[in-house]
Amino acid sequence: MTKADLFLGIDPGRSKTGLALVDGTGAIVALHISQTEFMAEALKSFAANAKICAIIMGDGTNSKKIGAVVHSVFPLLPLHIVGEAHSTEEARTLYWQVNPPRGCRRLVPLGMLVPSEPLDAYAAVVQVKRWLSLQEATND
């Protein structure tokens, strides 16, 4: 994968769904959290100008329903499903890597800090990174 490759990551949920655009190196390009009931509109607006080469979605809550919506919005793009086990924990770690605590909060162990935003979009990044790792492993 190259940096020019863009992937749409989706962390499906019952009430809200995380979306992320991630390049081929695993770097975050954009993040968004959508109400699941408005997923089609969110997908169209979030990824409107992005040249996405594939969609990676977790296999968790509501994934079949959201997968159908994704396919209706992007019928020509491949949709890859990955396991979601422990993605929230990985998303939390990723959140603190991207947003390290500042000031006095640096002294508090990360496990005791609460992120200032929902982690759904970061979990979508985790889905893409997992898929990219699987691709690297099969190409070795």
Side-chain angles (χ1 to χ4, degrees), residues 7-55:
F7 299 92
L8 173 60
I10 302 174
D11 180 55
R14 190 166 285 114
S15 63
K16 61 187 186 321
T17 295
L19 303 173
L21 288 174
V22 180
D23 74 16
T25 67
I28 298 169
V29 175
L31 300 171
H32 180 69
I33 297 175
S34 170
Q35 294 300 316
T36 300
E37 65 182 304
F38 304 117
M39 184 52 46
E41 296 86 359
L43 287 168
K44 289 173 190 171
S45 64
F46 178 67
N49 298 319
K51 294 194 184 328
I52 300 167
C53 61
I55 301 166

Side-chain angles (χ1 to χ4, degrees), residues 8 11 30 43-44 55 59 68 71 79 85 88 105 118 124 128 133:
L8 173 60
D11 180 55
L43 287 168
K44 289 173 190 171
I55 301 166
D59 66 354
H71 184 68
L79 174 61
T88 302
R105 291 176 54 110
V128 174
S133 292

Side-chain angles (χ1 to χ4, degrees), residues 11-136:
D11 180 55
R14 190 166 285 114
S15 63
K16 61 187 186 321
T17 295
L19 303 173
L21 288 174
V22 180
D23 74 16
T25 67
I28 298 169
V29 175
L31 300 171
H32 180 69
I33 297 175
S34 170
Q35 294 300 316
T36 300
E37 65 182 304
F38 304 117
M39 184 52 46
E41 296 86 359
L43 287 168
K44 289 173 190 171
S45 64
F46 178 67
N49 298 319
K51 294 194 184 328
I52 300 167
C53 61
I55 301 166
I56 316 327
M57 184 172 72
D59 66 354
T61 305
N62 228 7
S63 61
K64 286 187 177 34
K65 182 179 177 184
I66 292 173
V69 172
V70 169
H71 184 68
S72 72
V73 175
F74 300 110
L76 302 178
L77 287 175
L79 174 61
H80 304 283
I81 307 297
V82 295
E84 261 193 52
H86 306 290
S87 62
T88 302
E89 292 90 345
E90 287 181 49
R92 186 181 177 99
T93 300
L94 177 61
Y95 174 85
W96 290 121
Q97 288 170 353
V98 173
N99 304 287
R102 305 215 184 283
C104 296
R105 291 176 54 110
R106 290 180 307 162
L107 304 174
V108 179
L110 292 180
M112 295 178 68
L113 292 175
V114 176
S116 62
E117 61 187 277
L119 296 173
D120 306 80
Y122 290 94
V125 174
V126 168
Q127 309 309 334
V128 174
K129 287 184 173 211
R130 286 180 177 183
W131 186 81
L132 289 171
S133 292
L134 287 171
Q135 299 314 297
E136 280 183 23

